[in-house]
């Protein structure tokens, strides 16, 4: 697109038909003997119909909402919930329906146990607000002073949780806090966050969890954020409105 | 194409192909996140422009990545780039979304984040337009301005210089680099070879 050394600065102007008459005539006299400039002009001229299709250069590209990444991650099977089991020779790599009955039961039982644990002394469903449900999460006893308020809003793609936590122990090293939607059939990560020395954090989380599909919202402390399949202890929890 | 650029391109292709292969592996979350952070925003932009509704666009992007996860074993790096593959998935997801929308109430005026596209326009044309917008959005404001004035308003270089109070040589140079950068962006987006 640069053309030759002598006339290269005229290529773009000529290609966009923006040269004055005298300059254009000078360049056109040069073109027949210069294949580099002819090729460069062709390349510029190829841009013009594309720009016509765009219709202008001012249109801004819409930015996705910050929570979309979390909802995309949450919608992927196995993401942050259960690790895919090790593949056996000759077996379909992700045929979860072929799990042995015992293997299928493990996550279900784990979720059932979690629900049973959470159900004890867990606060009831919160009050509806015009924007969703405001819920107070209670401490499991592991961090007695910890508390949180969650604004739960159901969206077409799942559920958005605006979480405000207080007095959580700061995360250290690879530790992360992880929010979960829990049902009798399993649990789904709504996202992770870390906490600084203040013990306070406000974060928006999202998951492809739909209204009525999950009974509890819980927060666990995961010892190693790089290995989300390792489930840490529950720190805060609440029931979700049915 | 010099050798270092060629090897950089092949490294990128290899890395992205590996990322797709990793969607169903132990690090599926990391692979999905990497893929989303590379292509999520542009797919969302395309969906918003096409559907004219942010909520539907979010659903579509989620659908695209879920389909990519399900069909990652079908991806063949030798046949298409990851971008081409994802847009092919997006195209199918969009057709399904538009079918579903046909059964939904129309979006109310004022909910549109941008001007909705002509629903009768072929998806391929809408996709091409979107990619050109993406390429243009990568230009600096000065470069977008000179293209706007020269191409869309039909001004000569001298007229642009008068309007912007810049020397003609500066305008000439700016148009040259704007054209070169636009072409480069269009090549990166695989609109131009």
């Amino acid at each position: 697109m640069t053309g030759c050394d002598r006339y290269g600065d005229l290529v773009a102007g000529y290609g966009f038909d923006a040269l004055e008459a005298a300059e254009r005539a000078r360049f056109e006299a040069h073109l027949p003997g210069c294949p580099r400039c002819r090729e460069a002009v062709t390349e510029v001229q190829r841009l013009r119909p594309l720009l016509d299709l765009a219709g202008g250069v001012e249109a801004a590209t819409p930015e996705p909402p910050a929570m979309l990444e979390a909802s995309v991650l949450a919608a992927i099977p196995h993401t942050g919930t259960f690790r895919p089991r090790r593949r056996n020779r000759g077996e379909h790599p992700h045929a979860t329906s072929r799990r042995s009955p015992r293997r299928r039961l493990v996550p279900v039982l784990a979720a059932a146990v979690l629900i049973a644990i959470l159900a004890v002394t867990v606060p009831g469903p919160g009050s509806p607000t015009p924007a969703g449900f405001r819920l107070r999460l209670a401490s499991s006893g592991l961090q007695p002073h910890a508390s949180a308020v969650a604004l739960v809003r159901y969206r077409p793609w799942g559920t958005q949780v605006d979480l405000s936590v207080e007095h959580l122990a700061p995360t250290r090293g690879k530790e992360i806090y992880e929010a979960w939607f829990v049902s009798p059939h399993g649990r789904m990560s709504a996202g992770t966050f870390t906490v600084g020395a203040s013990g306070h954090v406000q974060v928006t989380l999202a998951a492809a969890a739909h209204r009525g599909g999950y009974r509890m919202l819980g927060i666990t402390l995961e010892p190693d954020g790089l290995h989300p399949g390792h489930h840490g202890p529950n720190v805060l929890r609440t029931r979700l409105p049915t | 194409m010099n050798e270092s650029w060629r090897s950089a391109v092949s490294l990128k292709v290899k890395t992205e192909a590996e990322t797709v292969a990793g969607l169903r592996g132990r690090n599926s979350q990391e692979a999905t996140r990497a893929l989303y952070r590379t292509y999520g925003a542009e797919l969302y932009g395309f969906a918003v422009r096409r559907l004219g509704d942010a909520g539907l666009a979010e659903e579509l992007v989620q659908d695209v990545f879920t389909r990519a996860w399900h069909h990652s074993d079908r991806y063949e790096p030798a046949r298409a780039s990851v971008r081409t593959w994802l847009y092919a998935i997006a195209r199918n997801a969009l057709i399904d979304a538009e079918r579903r929308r046909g059964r939904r109430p129309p979006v109310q005026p004022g909910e549109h984040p941008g001007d909705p596209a002509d629903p009768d326009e072929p998806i391929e044309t809408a996709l091409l337009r979107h990619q050109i917008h993406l390429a243009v959005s990568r230009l600096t404001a000065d470069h977008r301005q000179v293209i706007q004035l020269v191409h869309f308003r039909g001004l000569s270089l001298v007229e642009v210089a008068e309007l912007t109070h810049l020397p003609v040589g500066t305008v000439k140079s700016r148009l040259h680099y704007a054209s070169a950068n636009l072409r480069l962006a269009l090549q990166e987006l695989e609109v131009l070879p």
Side-chain angles (χ1 to χ4, degrees):
Chain A
M1 188 177 275
T2 54
C4 67
D5 293 340
R6 190 168 173 196
Y7 288 89
D9 63 334
L10 298 182
V11 165
Y14 184 79
F16 277 102
D17 197 18
L19 298 181
E20 297 298 314
E23 212 161 27
R24 185 171 65 243
R26 188 161 61 91
F27 188 65
E28 284 178 342
H30 162 75
L31 269 180
C34 184
R36 280 183 64 187
C37 282
R38 286 204 304 274
E39 184 182 342
V41 166
T42 303
E43 287 179 350
V44 171
Q45 287 174 336
R46 280 186 187 142
L47 301 175
R48 302 189 66 180
L50 296 176
L51 288 167
D52 286 337
L53 180 61
V57 297
E58 301 302 329
T61 303
E63 288 293 323
M67 70 195 70
L68 183 56
E69 178 178 320
S71 70
V72 165
L73 290 173
I76 301 298
H78 298 302
T79 297
T81 307
F82 304 110
R83 287 186 188 186
R85 66 192 175 115
R86 194 162 293 173
R87 184 183 176 189
N88 294 326
R89 187 181 296 275
E91 191 177 8
H92 191 278
H94 298 281
T96 51
S97 61
R98 294 186 190 175
R99 287 180 171 188
S100 70
R102 186 186 296 175
R103 282 182 179 274
R104 274 202 301 266
L105 277 176
V106 169
V108 175
L109 287 174
V113 169
L114 188 61
I115 283 182
I117 293 170
L118 291 175
V120 179
T121 70
V122 169
S127 56
T129 73
F133 281 92
R134 191 174 298 280
L135 305 170
R136 183 167 294 280
L137 283 77
S139 167
S140 66
L142 188 71
Q143 294 184 29
H145 301 295
S147 66
V149 173
L151 177 60
V152 177
R153 285 182 280 199
Y154 294 110
R155 303 291 195 192
W157 43 262
T159 307
Q160 175 185 332
V161 180
D162 295 318
L163 192 66
S164 177
V165 299
E166 300 284 353
H167 307 301
L168 268 186
T171 44
R172 295 169 299 182
K174 296 178 181 176
E175 284 181 344
I176 55 166
Y177 287 100
E178 185 152 17
W180 301 91
F181 287 98
V182 185
S183 81
H185 309 293
R187 58 182 182 173
M188 175 184 286
S189 174
T192 61
F193 59 93
T194 56
V195 175
S198 70
H200 169 75
V201 69
Q202 281 188 303
V203 63
T204 296
L205 304 169
H210 292 278
R211 185 194 298 265
Y214 291 83
R215 293 185 186 175
M216 314 289 275
L217 174 65
I219 295 173
T220 59
L221 176 60
E222 303 296 325
D224 186 349
L226 296 176
H227 296 88
H230 186 112
H231 295 156
N234 184 264
V235 179
L236 290 162
R237 66 283 167 95
T238 188
R239 281 187 212 144
L240 289 168
T242 53
Chain B
M1 185 188 300
N2 66 46
E3 281 309 309
S4 62
W5 197 78
R6 190 193 303 273
S7 61
V9 170
S10 67
L11 178 65
K12 183 185 174 200
V13 169
K14 184 182 176 191
T15 304
E16 290 197 340
E18 286 174 349
T19 302
V20 172
L23 286 175
R24 300 282 290 263
R26 288 182 62 193
N27 297 319
S28 69
Q29 188 167 24
E30 285 73 18
T32 306
R33 182 180 286 117
L35 212 56
Y36 174 84
R37 289 185 178 176
T38 305
Y39 298 108
E42 64 180 82
L43 285 168
Y44 175 78
F46 173 52
V48 167
R49 284 186 196 284
R50 178 70 187 188
L51 295 167
D53 181 278
L56 291 176
E58 289 174 30
E59 282 183 38
L60 185 118
V61 171
Q62 189 169 311
D63 190 16
V64 168
F65 283 96
T66 304
R67 290 181 189 213
W69 184 90
H70 278 290
H71 301 304
S72 56
D73 56 338
R74 294 188 202 168
Y75 172 63
E76 296 178 41
R79 289 186 58 191
S81 68
V82 171
R83 172 179 273 109
T84 301
W85 179 66
L86 281 176
Y87 273 103
I89 294 172
R91 180 187 180 282
N92 293 336
L94 195 52
I95 290 170
D96 290 344
E98 289 181 339
R99 280 192 193 126
R100 284 197 301 273
R101 188 167 63 167
R103 296 195 292 269
R104 291 183 181 182
V107 177
Q108 296 300 311
E111 292 181 4
H112 296 197
D115 292 334
D118 175 4
D120 296 326
E121 180 182 60
I123 288 177
E124 285 75 11
T125 308
L127 177 56
L128 179 58
R129 178 184 293 114
H130 169 65
Q131 288 176 316
I132 298 165
H133 277 297
L134 276 180
V136 167
S137 73
R138 293 183 182 182
L139 301 180
T140 65
D142 286 344
H143 288 175
R144 284 200 301 273
Q145 182 197 41
V146 74
I147 287 179
Q148 174 72 25
L149 294 175
V150 166
H151 181 69
F152 289 102
R153 288 183 57 183
L155 301 186
S156 70
L157 296 177
V158 171
E159 289 169 329
V160 173
E162 288 170 359
L163 190 70
T164 57
H165 307 293
L166 291 169
V168 177
T170 302
V171 174
K172 204 178 280 182
S173 168
R174 197 170 278 182
L175 183 63
H176 168 78
Y177 285 108
S179 306
N181 290 340
L182 177 59
R183 180 172 174 76
L184 187 63
L186 289 166
Q187 285 175 324
E188 286 175 353
L189 292 165
E190 300 169 33
V191 174
L192 289 177

